[in-house]
Amino acid sequence: MKTDYALYLVTSSSPTLLGPDTDLIEDVVRPALEGGVTIVQLREKDGDMTTAQFVERARRLLEVTREFGVPLLINDRVDVARAVGCEGCHVGQDDMDVQSARRILGPDAIIGVSASTAEEAVKACREGASYLGIGTVFATSTKKDTKHIIGIQGVRDILAALDEAGYAHIPTVCIGGITQSNVQQVLQQSATPNKSLDGIAVVSAIVGSKDPKAAAAEFDRLVRASLPVPKHLRGTAGLPPAAVGALVKKVGQLKPISHNMTNLVVQNFAANVALAVGASPIMANYGEEAADLCRLGGALVINMGTVTPDGLTNYVQALKAYNDGNRPVIFDPVGAGATRVRRSAVKTIMAAGRVTVIKGNEGEIMTIYGDDEKVQQRGVDSSSNLTDSQKANLVRGLAAREGCVVVMTGQRDFVSDGGRVYVVDNGHALLGGVTGTGCCLGTTISAAVAAVYPENVLEAVMAGILHYEIAAQNAAVREDVRGPGTFVPAFLDELARIRDETARGELGWLNKMR
Ligand code: 3NM
Ligand code: MG
């Protein structure tokens, strides 16, 4: 599991922050985790705790962080981390060195290091730090022995030095005086072209808040909206071609059912695409049939391209049937922002059950995210207003909120499960010249997800996208393709060719992944 450093809570037992009769674990950390904190550090600098009390507190806290699936690190006391078996520790410049800590905690432990200069930062990376805490950013009364106030420019200089030294892949958070008012400015202005922060660490803004859950939730919103996308998360890095090939092959072997409730414009095309990728299409828009069809073990595509009141009732019925049967649902909110009817249909569907994948263009995804007033979507055409960072944060934020995978299509596609973000640069402009190609991508994704569900949904989605978009590239450059009309049959041929080559173990097509 990749560690999510977006919202890092460092605890404090200082009575001025905690207030009387406040239990650090139950009254602060638990609500903060509910609000969205992604990693916790137990820091005990203020009281005069015995080691026995420290271990006891760490053990109690670990039970809570485990409930939320969030890592717990111990400040300074490597022995306490080892004693309770938590995920790791955080060491300052005057604490134990990284290599010694790693000898105690082992190769998989998360070991963070504080750095206030470029030299300290690079040295910590060289010695095997898992992440860096960069600070002190702004003056703070929380830390008694603050050495350097480095400001946003200081953070930026350290990030640039890390990139220069080849450590752009080491995650970083900043710390010291971070509040809801300055967090977005810090994240945006500290970013260098190749290296930016992965999150922010706070003490008083959460521990000293009257409502730690609300404070964390607001930080979560602010951070996710402006976290720059680290370079190492861009592209398809981290997705091995062999794994993609195995997933595409699995579709051909299992021939999963792709149950499409789709619009009348694309039914025939989508069924042919399903066959070409190796799936078994069923085009059935009547909700009453969904429970029986779900038992066939496939996936459902809800494509609201030509939504009607009856259609909506059918979608809701089918969604519930697939939820009950614990089978995946791909939701394609076609034209979501275009009309009041569609905006309302999206809300009805999202409220009726759980979806596994949401696939849409920028306007559609923004509508679901809740910015519908701002979405001036004309028809169902895609038009872009967002930067790449904003797109990545949008898909990651929506995926995290809904607990699903989000695919935002465009010239570059953005895909996230709420943690990782993939950016896909495959595809071809001719896909935009033919109706229904977006819808058929949903069908292709459904086949790949059906083949592996409930495991590896993100990887399956990526396999579906790559199969589809590389086939489009292959078709577009064929000599017999002269425009959208000749493109369609060539595209079906190339989808089937990739399916067949992959079945034979020929994975050369994956060299085109980008
Ligand atoms: N470490 P607040 S600053 C624990 O510079 C800690 O390494 C720092 O508290 C460093 O969010 C700090 O309340 C305190 O400002 C941060
Ligand atoms: Mg320290």
Side-chain angles (χ1 to χ4, degrees):
M1 258 298 273
K2 217 184 140 317
T3 306
D4 183 357
Y5 291 94
L7 183 50
Y8 187 145
L9 172 67
V10 180
T11 69
S12 166
S13 300
S14 156
T16 50
L17 285 181
L18 265 188
D21 303 322
T22 307
D23 180 72
L24 174 67
I25 296 175
E26 288 305 323
D27 300 332
V28 175
V29 180
R30 179 185 289 282
L33 285 163
E34 286 165 359
V37 159
T38 59
I39 179 164
V40 177
Q41 179 192 128
L42 176 61
R43 182 172 181 271
E44 293 295 347
K45 294 282 187 197
D46 301 294
D48 41 358
M49 246 188 180
T50 64
T51 297
Q53 287 167 327
F54 199 157
V55 170
E56 158 65 17
R57 174 166 294 183
R59 202 161 265 144
R60 265 180 55 219
L61 182 52
L62 182 60
E63 278 180 27
V64 176
T65 54
R66 288 269 155 96
E67 259 181 60
F68 288 83
V70 159
L72 173 65
L73 312 180
I74 309 293
N75 183 285
D76 188 4
R77 291 290 298 267
V78 184
D79 57 334
V80 176
R82 171 80 204 228
V84 302
C86 64
E87 285 72 16
C89 67
H90 183 93
V91 289
Q93 289 295 322
D94 301 327
D95 300 337
M96 188 185 290
D97 63 281
V98 185
Q99 285 148 317
S100 304
R102 200 166 282 296
R103 231 169 274 140
I104 295 173
L105 296 179
D108 297 332
I110 301 173
I111 299 178
V113 178
S114 302
S116 59
T117 65
E119 292 69 35
E120 287 173 359
V122 170
K123 177 166 176 282
C125 291
R126 200 184 308 123
E127 292 174 353
S130 312
Y131 76 90
L132 300 178
I134 299 176
T136 305
V137 186
F138 302 120
T140 171
S141 50
T142 308
K143 188 175 163 75
K144 299 291 173 278
D145 54 349
T146 296
K147 290 173 192 153
H148 309 279
I149 308 287
I150 62 173
I152 297 178
Q153 185 59 45
V155 177
R156 195 179 148 83
D157 291 344
I158 292 174
L159 293 174
L162 288 171
D163 179 39
E164 177 94 346
Y167 293 116
H169 61 289
I170 302 293
T172 53
V173 298
C174 69
I175 185 162
I178 305 299
T179 65
Q180 291 169 356
S181 325
N182 62 29
V183 60
Q184 293 202 308
Q185 193 188 5
V186 169
L187 286 170
Q188 282 159 10
Q189 295 183 357
S190 63
T192 77
N194 285 328
K195 175 74 180 153
S196 46
L197 291 168
D198 296 87
I200 51 117
V202 298
V203 183
S204 54
I206 289 179
V207 179
S209 163
K210 283 194 189 68
D211 186 345
K213 179 173 173 179
E218 179 61 5
F219 267 117
D220 178 62
R221 192 183 71 76
L222 293 167
V223 170
R224 301 228 178 250
S226 59
L227 204 55
V229 184
K231 183 125 187 177
H232 69 275
L233 283 183
R234 293 186 203 152
T236 50
L239 187 71
V244 176
L247 287 159
V248 170
K249 185 170 179 178
K250 200 154 184 189
V251 174
Q253 283 169 334
L254 295 180
K255 302 193 170 31
I257 300 285
S258 173
H259 170 189
N260 288 249
M261 302 183 86
T262 195
N263 66 77
L264 46 88
V265 184
V266 301
Q267 287 182 354
N268 173 277
F269 191 17
N272 281 329
V273 165
L275 286 171
V277 299
S280 312
I282 295 179
M283 318 310 280
N285 284 6
Y286 187 26
E288 199 66 32
E289 289 182 297
D292 284 347
L293 293 175
C294 175
R295 273 180 223 112
L296 302 175
L300 171 68
V301 180
I302 297 178
N303 174 308
M304 51 168 240
T306 45
V307 68
T308 59
D310 271 359
L312 189 53
T313 308
N314 284 316
Y315 301 151
V316 167
Q317 192 175 9
L319 174 61
K320 288 185 170 152
Y322 272 72
N323 279 178
D324 289 346
N326 200 22
R327 294 302 305 166
V329 178
I330 288 50
F331 179 37
D332 190 342
V334 182
T339 63
R340 188 181 48 76
V341 165
R342 286 178 196 231
R343 285 192 290 274
S344 149
V346 164
K347 291 200 175 105
T348 305
I349 292 167
M350 294 297 292
R354 304 178 309 278
V355 299
T356 318
V357 180
I358 300 171
K359 181 209 76 72
N361 63 28
E362 189 177 311
E364 292 159 357
I365 296 298
M366 278 180 66
T367 300
I368 296 188
Y369 193 71
D371 281 345
D372 30 340
E373 276 81 66
K374 289 187 211 141
V375 182
Q376 296 296 319
Q377 207 193 2
R378 281 162 279 106
V380 293
D381 291 345
S382 17
S383 58
S384 182
N385 310 303
L386 303 176
T387 65
D388 279 2
S389 271
Q390 288 170 322
K391 288 177 189 173
N393 286 309
L394 175 60
V395 296
R396 179 164 48 189
L398 181 61
R401 192 183 81 193
E402 301 296 336
C404 66
V405 170
V406 173
V407 179
M408 188 161 87
T409 56
Q411 194 174 26
R412 319 185 81 180
D413 310 306
F414 290 76
V415 185
S416 180
D417 62 353
R420 204 183 287 256
V421 179
Y422 287 123
V423 181
V424 187
D425 281 324
N426 289 100
H428 193 277
L430 272 173
L431 281 172
V434 176
T435 192
T437 50
C439 305
C440 294
L441 174 60
T443 300
T444 303
I445 289 171
S446 77
V449 172
V452 294
Y453 189 81
E455 307 296 331
N456 300 327
V457 172
L458 178 63
E459 288 75 13
V461 167
M462 288 296 290
I465 294 173
L466 289 162
H467 183 169
Y468 195 82
E469 297 194 339
I470 292 173
Q473 282 168 235
N474 290 350
V477 297
R478 275 171 42 159
E479 274 183 14
D480 55 335
V481 171
R482 291 176 305 277
T486 39
F487 173 74
V488 172
F491 177 47
L492 289 172
D493 286 350
E494 295 300 326
L495 283 169
R497 185 210 298 271
I498 286 178
R499 174 199 67 197
D500 294 339
E501 285 179 2
T502 308
R504 294 193 297 268
E506 298 164 20
L507 300 181
W509 62 277
L510 282 164
N511 294 334
K512 298 198 175 105
M513 254 171 85
R514 50 172 198 251

